[in-house]
Amino acid sequence: RIELYTGPWAEAYDAGTPDAALPAFVATAHAARAVGLGVNAGHDLSQANLGAFLAALDGIDEVSIGHALIGEALYDGLDTTIRRYLAICGAAAPL
């Protein structure tokens, strides 16, 4: 697998220009899949920007969200935060 460094996506999302960052991610993910690699993503992904990223790049195998998850859990609790991330990722895993 490869992992897409999503810092530029998060910055563009925060700046209100997420579409500007997408073509490079889409092209890289497509190239990786074309040679049989899975695609992970991570860095600065959060509840605010993760759903839009996953919708734009269908088929992400894994996301690294540990830092944001723990930070957000400090305010909303771990159980609630995990459930929200599962919903964003479309996972139907019981807790």
Side-chain angles (χ1 to χ4, degrees):
R1 289 190 184 173
I2 65 160
E3 181 168 304
L4 302 173
Y5 169 70
T6 53
W9 158 258
E11 290 173 12
Y13 189 91
D14 288 345
T17 58
D19 291 343
L22 284 177
F25 289 111
V26 171
T28 302
H30 178 74
R33 288 188 200 109
V35 296
L37 295 173
V39 180
N40 296 354
H43 195 83
D44 292 337
L45 294 171
S46 67
Q47 290 179 58
N49 63 29
L50 179 59
F53 186 81
L54 293 176
L57 278 90
D58 188 40
I60 297 295
D61 295 308
E62 182 178 313
V63 291
S64 297
I65 55 171
H67 183 82
L69 187 147
I70 295 302
E72 292 164 342
L74 291 173
Y75 295 95
D76 297 323
L78 191 57
D79 184 70
T80 297
T81 303
I82 289 172
R83 288 180 190 280
R84 287 179 182 160
Y85 272 107
L86 287 170
I88 292 166
C89 294
L95 292 177

